[in-house]
Each structure stands twice: as C-alpha cells, then as structure tokens.
Amino acid sequence: MILSIESSCDDSSIAITSIEDKKLLFYKKISQELEHSKYGGVVPELASRLHLEALPEILEECKPYFSSLKAVAVTNEPGLSVTLNEGIMMAKALSLSLKIPLIEVNHLIGHIYSVFIEKEAIFPLSVILVSGGHTKVLLMDSPDSIKELATTTDDSFGESFDKVAKMLDLGYPGGPVIEKLAQKGEHSIKFPIPLQNSPRIAFSYSGLKNAVRLKIAQKSSSAEDIAYSFQYAAIKHLLQKTQKVFKLNPPQNVCVVGGAGANQMLREEINKLSSQYEFNVYYPLLKFCSDNAAMIGRAAIDKYLNGSFIEMPKLKAKSSTQFSL
Ligand code: KG4
Ligand code: ZN
C-alpha cells in the first residue's frame, strides 16, 4: 500500500491505496474553505497552521495500515510553499520512521490521475485542466511524457470565478456559488468572448473579469444574470480555444480535471464536443475534482511501479511547475 498526502493549498488530505489492484482503502479530507472564506481567498499562513492540525488528526486513523506501507507519496509542484512544506515534513518523518521510500507527485499530474482512481490509466490522453491556478490543455502520451498545448496568459478559469464572486460579495471559493446563482439567471448581458477574433491559441480571463467589474458598477443587471452571462463567456472562450487545439491535435481520449471541472455547464459543452469530434471523455467523481490525496496516491502507484523514488534531501517544496518530470 501507498500512503499519500495532499497539502498544496487549502485541503488537508491523506489516502491509502493498494498498489496491486489500485483500490482506495482509506480516504479523508479536511477542507479549510470556511476559514478562508471571510478573507475572500486563501491566506497561506493560516492554511499552513490548519494543515498542522488536520494532517496529524487524519494520520491517527491510518495507524492500522502502517505495517503494510511500501512507500509514502506527497504532493509537490505547484502549490503554496508554506503548505506544501507541511505535507513534505510529514512524508519525510513517515519515510524515516517506517523505513519506506518517498515518492514526489507533481500536483497537476495528480489532478490528471483523478480520473483513474481505482482504475487502469489510459494513454494517449488529452487533458483540459481547469483549477484555481491553471487553465491548460495538455497532451500526455504516457505517464512520463507531457506536452503543454495551450495555457493562460493571465488569470485562470477558476480564479476568474473566484474574482467575480468576490466582486459580487459571494465569498470564496467562487466557482460553486457562481454556478448556483447562474441557474437562476439569464443570458441578458453579452460579455465579450476573450480573444474571439485572434488566431492565438491561448486563454485570457482578465479582460472578461474587468468587463464584469464595469457591469457590476453600472448597477443595471441582477447578480443572477451577471453570473449566468459571465459563466457563459468564460466557458465559450475555453471551448473555442480548446477546439482550435483539437483541430491541430485530434484527441482520442479527453479528461477534464481540476476544481473547476465540476462545473456542469462546462461538462455539458464538452460532452457536445465529444460527439462532434468523436473522442472518449473522462471526468473525475465530483468529490475528486478538488484537491485530494486519492489522486496523489493513484499517480504514485505508477511512479512506484517505475521505481521513481526521490531521496530525502532532494525533496523540497516547489511552488511553480514546468512539468519537468
Ligand atoms: O483544483 P482546485 O480545487 O484547487 C487548485 O488546485 O486550484 O480548484 C479550485 C478552483 C477554484 O478557483 C474554484 O472557484 C473553482 O476551482 N471551482 C469552480 C467550480 N467548483 C470549483 N469553478 C467553476 N465552476 C465550479 N462548479
Ligand atoms: Zn489542485
């Protein structure tokens, strides 16, 4: 079994996964959303302190598995360095005391594996990654070959939901509240679709965010209509540019991962695209869209089987990623 730890942002989570049949034997997550909500975003120092309380609390429950562990895996790259350190310190302590090797899992690769929890992995895989920090289309030919085909030039998809929610005083995280509010709204505002007339294959959300800011200041529309119209433009932009990528790199298998992959309107639009372009589409279970240790554990199995371990002194928190596998 592998014990895996996730602490890259505001979720403390530990999982235990069986190496042979990939079954999830134990899984727990303590989310800090409520504590950060009043600040309108994640406060790194507070997050770090809360991990320090939550991770040992979850680890207590894992004690019965200790004697069966073959490795300890931990999330890294990208994340908040102060919170990554909490998981890394725990992983190092477990590795030392239980005399088992360490596995470092790139957090974004972890999100990709969220669709393969308790399953065999499928490659080649085109990845639409939409989280709070990233908006990317990636091509993964195998577990250790990943190519970035498109990324954002400014804000990320999920971040734009967070910022619009903040402007509307709806708290954090913004994605779920905006999505819920949008269900009561109509498409009464035609926000400009970012980079619509540009041949560039890239994402950009800061212009749309500013258009929303101006609309809110005008006080002429309901929050529901603003939420619907913003969500429509944000998804339309994501789909327009993703289609351009897919025309150049026709996909066989597509997965949509990251916290914002939970968005139902986005899933419906991607389903339409999958019929049009005839690809298979994979989504994680809703509970595994946001940060969790189960996806880290699943990614760690493939690294374990490849013998990809990291020596203790080399394991350091990395807040940004280059996909240098
Ligand atoms: O992957 P994640 O849990 O954390 C990061 O690694 O960033 O993603 C969190 C992001 C937040 O920006 C949140 O607002 C967004 O995902 N999100 C959503 C939805 N649920 C979460 N965005 C749009 N629609 C949703 N339903
Ligand atoms: Zn994440």
Side-chain angles (χ1 to χ4, degrees):
M1 298 171 196
I2 294 181
L3 181 145
S4 53
I5 305 170
E6 164 60 44
S7 69
S8 64
C9 190
D10 58 347
D11 293 300
S12 315
S13 180
I14 300 181
I16 293 180
T17 317
S18 154
I19 297 168
E20 208 168 276
D21 59 10
K22 297 166 180 67
K23 282 269 171 280
L24 193 57
L25 304 171
F26 171 89
Y27 170 66
K28 192 154 179 184
K29 161 163 144 168
I30 298 179
S31 188
Q32 309 172 356
E33 271 169 16
L34 220 63
E35 285 88 347
H36 296 288
S37 169
K38 51 179 174 282
Y39 303 106
V42 177
V43 182
E45 285 301 317
L46 174 63
S48 167
R49 188 163 58 72
L50 293 170
H51 284 302
L52 190 61
E53 290 167 17
L55 287 174
E57 187 184 318
I58 306 175
L59 189 68
E60 268 301 312
E61 295 182 46
C62 302
K63 274 184 180 164
Y65 299 96
F66 277 7
S67 59
S68 311
L69 296 179
K70 294 281 179 240
V72 54
V74 65
T75 204
N76 198 5
E77 215 192 339
L80 300 167
S81 43
V82 287
T83 65
L84 287 170
N85 274 333
E86 298 295 336
I88 290 174
M89 299 258 277
M90 177 173 271
K92 287 186 176 183
L94 284 170
S95 164
L96 262 178
S97 54
L98 300 175
K99 300 185 178 62
I100 48 175
L102 276 170
I103 298 173
E104 176 187 42
V105 175
N106 178 295
H107 179 76
L108 301 184
I109 307 277
H111 272 297
I112 297 171
Y113 272 89
S114 66
V115 294
F116 301 135
I117 292 171
E118 304 203 302
K119 290 193 188 113
E120 287 300 326
I122 295 166
F123 299 104
L125 183 66
S126 300
V127 180
I128 302 173
L129 170 70
V130 275
S131 69
H134 298 271
T135 310
K136 291 181 188 294
V137 181
L138 307 163
L139 179 61
M140 207 167 168
D141 281 319
S142 67
D144 49 9
S145 154
I146 193 157
K147 218 166 44 191
E148 187 174 286
L149 304 178
T151 190
T152 183
T153 53
D154 42 60
D155 293 349
S156 78
F157 181 83
E159 187 181 7
S160 70
F161 279 71
D162 294 333
K163 289 186 173 168
V164 167
K166 198 169 178 180
M167 289 183 229
L168 290 169
D169 264 335
L170 299 171
Y172 171 87
V177 254
I178 294 283
E179 179 172 27
K180 200 152 168 243
L181 200 62
Q183 284 163 2
K184 290 185 241 144
E186 283 176 28
H187 193 199
S188 64
I189 313 154
K190 302 286 176 287
F191 285 123
I193 311 296
L195 304 175
Q196 178 152 242
N197 301 315
S198 159
R200 270 186 84 186
I201 299 186
F203 303 108
S204 168
Y205 283 96
S206 67
L208 175 60
K209 173 189 67 188
N210 287 330
V212 174
R213 191 191 305 280
L214 294 174
K215 191 42 104 187
I216 295 171
Q218 284 175 8
K219 297 193 165 100
S220 56
S221 306
S222 70
E224 287 82 358
D225 281 11
I226 292 173
Y228 186 100
S229 306
F230 155 73
Q231 179 175 257
Y232 176 90
I235 293 175
K236 185 100 186 162
H237 169 50
L238 185 76
L239 269 285
Q240 277 182 353
K241 294 300 176 185
T242 302
Q243 255 182 13
K244 279 191 192 289
V245 175
F246 286 173
K247 276 193 185 130
L248 295 172
N249 307 271
Q252 292 174 40
N253 306 299
V254 174
C255 69
V256 186
V257 297
N263 187 288
Q264 290 305 316
M265 191 195 240
L266 174 61
R267 287 188 175 200
E268 279 163 28
E269 291 303 315
I270 291 181
N271 286 343
K272 284 184 208 157
L273 214 61
S274 79
S275 323
Q276 193 186 335
Y277 287 84
E278 295 182 338
F279 54 74
N280 304 313
V281 61
Y282 302 90
Y283 302 102
L285 292 177
L286 283 183
K287 67 173 173 179
F288 295 134
C289 282
S290 54
D291 293 345
N292 66 84
M295 66 187 194
I296 302 302
R298 178 60 191 89
I301 293 179
D302 285 13
K303 294 196 89 173
Y304 179 88
L305 296 173
N306 280 336
S308 302
F309 303 109
I310 183 162
E311 289 164 34
M312 193 165 312
K314 290 200 181 136
L315 179 54
K316 291 182 187 146
K318 294 177 212 134
S319 53
S320 59
T321 190
Q322 295 303 321
F323 280 110
S324 49
L325 290 168

